[in-house]
């Protein structure tokens, strides 16, 4: 799958090639393969990121989790979806590089059973942050990992990891990866 007009050549500058970036995703047969290219084990394919969040919220509520701790920088659709599902939330700070402010998270995490974090623009959190998040998991916290623009990462940290596929390919939908049985939700 390519993005239309990426690296499209043009002779508009006095005979020299120039490159244009932008456009929309579209399907390209060049990327079709008879071979499996990634494992979909433990994945549920849903209508999109909002659908994934709705299922996650239903699961959390069924576990008795009524509140979730969120990063202070996020898409407002996340808040709308969680509110519609009945989850309450509060925020922890993120640094200028969008990594988690660990000190702020440490102060707030004790009051929450679920922690939401975002791998902004497809970049995982720094190793020190990942280590702290694992510590929270070992303490029984559920981690919700939003792989915004990350595609299908092989190594994920979250107990519930999702991605909206429209950010990376010409199809709507989203995937939710988890070890939990999500069929009831």
């Amino acid at each position: 799958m390519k993005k239309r007009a990426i690296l499209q050549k043009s002779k508009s500058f006095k005979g020299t090639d120039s490159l244009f970036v932008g456009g929309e995703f579209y399907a390209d047969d060049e990327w079709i393969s008879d071979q499996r290219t990634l494992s979909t084990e433990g994945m549920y394919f849903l209508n999109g990121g909002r659908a994934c969040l709705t299922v996650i919220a239903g699961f959390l509520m069924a576990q008795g989790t009524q509140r979730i701790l969120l990063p202070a920088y996020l898409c407002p659709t996340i808040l709308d979806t969680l509110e519609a599902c009945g989850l309450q939330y509060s925020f922890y700070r993120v640094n200028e590089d969008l990594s988690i402010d660990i000190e702020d998270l440490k102060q707030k995490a004790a009051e929450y059973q679920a922690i939401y974090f975002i791998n902004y623009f497809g970049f995982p959190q720094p190793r020190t942050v990942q280590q702290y998040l694992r510590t929270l998991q070992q303490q029984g916290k559920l981690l919700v990992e939003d792989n915004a623009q990350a595609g299908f990462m092989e190594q994920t940290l979250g107990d519930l990891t999702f991605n909206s596929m429209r950010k990376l390919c010409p199809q709507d939908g989203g995937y939710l990866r988890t070890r939990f049985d999500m069929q009831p939700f």
Side-chain angles (χ1 to χ4, degrees), residues 36-113:
R36 180 173 280 192
T37 56
L38 61 100
S39 172
T40 58
E41 187 176 334
M43 287 186 181
Y44 297 87
F45 288 87
L46 303 167
N47 192 33
R50 186 179 294 222
C52 291
L53 275 174
T54 300
V55 169
I56 290 168
F59 174 80
L60 293 174
M61 298 286 280
Q63 304 304 307
T65 300
Q66 309 262 326
R67 299 170 44 210
I68 187 168
L69 190 57
L70 305 171
Y73 182 77
L74 48 66
C75 174
T77 303
I78 295 168
L79 303 178
D80 295 341
T81 304
L82 296 178
E83 284 177 4
C85 294
L87 274 177
Q88 299 171 13
Y89 53 82
S90 190
F91 302 97
Y92 62 85
R93 290 191 306 257
V94 294
N95 299 311
E96 285 184 18
D97 66 356
L98 299 177
S99 63
I100 294 172
D101 180 330
I102 293 179
E103 292 308 313
D104 192 53
L105 182 58
K106 282 180 181 179
Q107 290 177 8
K108 297 175 180 174
E111 299 177 33
Y112 293 85
Q113 285 304 108

Side-chain angles (χ1 to χ4, degrees), residues 11 15 17 20 25 38 52-53 107 147 180:
K11 301 283 185 184
D17 288 342
F20 292 96
F25 288 112
L38 61 100
C52 291
L53 275 174
Q107 290 177 8
N147 273 333
F180 300 114

